[in-house]
Amino acid sequence: MSSATTLPDDPPGGRRALAVWGIGVSVYFVAVIFRTSLGVAGLDAADRFHVNASALSTFSILQLLVYAGMQIPVGLLVDRLGTKKVLALGAVLFTAGQLGFAFSPSYGTALASRALLGCGDALTFISVLRLGSRWFPARRGPLVAQFAGLVGMAGNLVSTLVLARLLHGVGWTAAFAGSAAAGAVVFVLVLLFLKDHPEGHEPEPFPHQGAAYVRRQIAASWREPGTRLGLWVHFTTQFPAMVFLLLWGLPFLVEAQGLSRATAGELLTLVVVSNMVVGLVYGQIVARHHGARLPLALGTVGATAALWAATLAHSGPHAPMWLLIVLCTVLGACGPASMIGFDFARPANPPERQGTASGITNMGGFVASMTTLFAIGVLLDATGDDYSLAFSVVFVLQAVGVCQILRLRRRAARRERERLVASRVETVHVPA
């Protein structure tokens, strides 16, 4: 029996796969630039729209609310329509949102623009994961997912370095409108060059039966312990860095720690660079040592909690620079650790549910981020900008997430062993 017959759904990878996947990842890259652009413009947005901390946090909360709420529908769309159509739609929406934000004359229209941006952003990451699973062998899954996250963090780096300078160089409207051109470029690339899968590896058609089918897809994915474990790993690991980079990192470093904007920007850049380096390391480790997934995730949570506690509990008026540097370095591990959640959900579901399961998993970190963004904004207003008290909400969500991970880990491991045994028995009985 040939290898193609044995593994009909396992694509060969190669240069063609890299080229096509690169186009998909470029869409995600631009989406992350737009998503994180508010992180370097938070103080400017507060001045431009004359809003307080709670209203400022609403920008990111609404954006993440739309993003998180769309993850399951996006997973179903990707499973049904394929990657190309969903990514093209995403590029149109997040580009329109960025343009709208550039020209918004009021707080209300700016909110609507961020919601539209979040809608387009929501269509990208699950699509990129699906594209990787269609073009690369399954054994490359963890590494491909980490590289996707790595490219996303490169987008964050662009917003931290390039967009921040444009904002203070050419002004609000020119910076945001000019950056929107990148969305138009990736839209054209998707239309001209992206393909859902390599020739000869077309997925089998699955029947779609309206609302009943959708409910069955979601229910079947949720019943898998690996899907739920993936969601809670993503929930617990991602949000500390997301909240820091998306909105509250710059105000915390400038207003609470007394740093200049330039120095604060360098520390935000350190988070992004650390994320990229750690992502490469975590991807290699998980690809080679399957059992390292949970220790890496829980170790990242523990290290993050310890560094936040040390920073917030420091007795002086400001934490020392070395401690802030270590904190930002450790925060960089949060993104790669959150990608491990997909490594629990992906093998727990068959190909026809990959998008749905990934969408459920991806909700975790963004729900946690949205909750934390809101809580910090409310606490800052209620306590007169007491950042130590406001940021302590991080520990509450981490504790909730860790409890759920510990509750589900054995159930997911047992189910994974059962699938492995069943696949071996099936392989033995396949005729040559």
Side-chain angles (χ1 to χ4, degrees):
M1 181 169 47
S2 68
S3 59
T5 304
T6 306
L7 298 171
D9 296 320
D10 205 31
R15 293 182 179 178
R16 173 65 172 160
L18 283 172
V20 174
W21 183 74
I23 294 171
V25 171
S26 69
V27 181
Y28 177 56
F29 172 78
V30 175
V32 173
I33 294 175
F34 293 178
R35 178 202 303 170
T36 58
S37 58
L38 187 60
V40 297
L43 296 176
D44 300 86
D47 293 337
R48 180 179 177 87
F49 300 112
H50 310 291
V51 294
N52 61 13
S54 297
L56 181 60
S57 66
T58 303
F59 279 123
S60 296
I61 291 168
L62 179 61
Q63 183 180 332
L64 293 185
L65 179 64
V66 172
Y67 187 105
M70 287 188 63
Q71 287 310 291
I72 293 177
V74 168
L76 292 165
L77 279 175
V78 173
D79 286 338
R80 183 166 189 172
L81 301 179
T83 302
K84 182 170 185 172
K85 293 178 181 178
V86 177
L87 277 179
L89 178 60
V92 170
L93 292 177
F94 65 60
T95 302
Q98 188 79 339
L99 275 173
F101 198 57
F103 294 101
S104 291
S106 66
Y107 177 68
T109 55
L111 273 180
S113 297
R114 294 307 285 186
L116 185 61
L117 193 158
C119 185
D121 183 16
L123 298 173
T124 60
F125 186 65
I126 300 302
S127 300
V128 169
L129 289 181
R130 171 63 175 259
L131 191 67
S133 69
R134 290 299 184 192
W135 281 90
F136 293 96
R139 68 180 184 278
R140 300 292 186 189
L143 199 56
V144 169
Q146 288 289 356
F147 267 112
L150 181 69
V151 172
M153 290 311 296
N156 201 328
L157 190 63
V158 169
S159 66
T160 303
L161 295 178
V162 180
L163 190 60
R165 293 182 180 179
L166 282 175
L167 187 64
H168 297 107
V170 300
W172 178 282
T173 300
F176 281 99
S179 66
V185 171
V186 295
F187 173 72
V188 172
L189 290 175
V190 168
L191 290 184
L192 293 180
F193 301 111
L194 192 136
K195 291 185 63 176
D196 284 340
H197 47 73
E199 294 181 5
H201 292 271
E202 294 80 2
E204 294 181 10
F206 293 96
H208 298 278
Q209 301 171 356
Y213 173 81
V214 169
R215 288 194 296 269
R216 287 196 299 271
Q217 285 285 88
I218 296 172
S221 295
W222 183 255
R223 279 196 298 269
E224 290 291 345
T227 303
R228 283 175 280 147
L229 179 59
L231 179 147
W232 284 108
V233 167
H234 200 268
F235 176 101
T236 315
T237 53
Q238 187 202 47
F239 78 93
M242 175 69 72
V243 168
F244 198 79
L245 290 171
L246 200 60
L247 182 60
W248 290 121
L250 187 68
F252 170 75
L253 294 172
V254 173
E255 296 179 352
Q257 299 301 320
L259 302 180
S260 66
R261 283 198 178 200
T263 304
E266 290 172 358
L267 287 176
L268 293 179
T269 303
L270 176 61
V271 177
V272 177
V273 172
S274 173
N275 185 298
M276 298 170 73
V277 173
V278 175
L280 290 173
V281 175
Y282 277 19
Q284 292 285 352
I285 292 174
V286 173
R288 297 177 182 180
H289 306 286
H290 209 54
R293 293 173 299 173
L294 209 53
L296 282 176
L298 291 175
T300 301
V301 173
T304 304
L307 266 298
W308 263 122
T311 302
L312 298 179
H314 193 270
S315 58
H318 305 305
M321 179 57 71
W322 68 265
L323 183 55
L324 294 176
I325 290 173
V326 175
L327 171 66
C328 291
T329 302
V330 172
L331 284 175
C334 291
S338 71
M339 300 301 297
I340 295 173
F342 298 101
D343 293 322
F344 286 107
R346 184 171 45 248
N349 292 271
E352 67 270 23
R353 291 205 309 263
Q354 290 290 313
T356 305
S358 295
I360 292 172
T361 300
N362 207 30
M363 284 179 62
F366 289 92
V367 169
S369 298
M370 180 176 58
T371 304
T372 309
L373 284 166
F374 175 74
I376 290 175
V378 170
L379 287 171
L380 285 174
D381 285 339
T383 61
D385 292 339
D386 186 339
Y387 279 89
S388 294
L389 181 58
F391 271 89
S392 63
V393 72
V394 169
F395 306 121
V396 177
L397 271 74
Q398 285 183 322
V400 171
V402 168
C403 288
Q404 293 297 323
I405 291 171
L406 296 178
R407 183 179 68 85
L408 289 166
R409 59 174 180 167
R410 292 180 181 175
R411 198 178 308 174
R414 182 168 61 251
R415 180 76 174 120
E416 194 168 297
R417 287 194 298 269
E418 291 172 356
R419 284 195 304 271
L420 182 60
V421 170
S423 65
R424 288 175 176 172
V425 171
E426 184 178 339
T427 301
V428 169
H429 287 87
V430 172

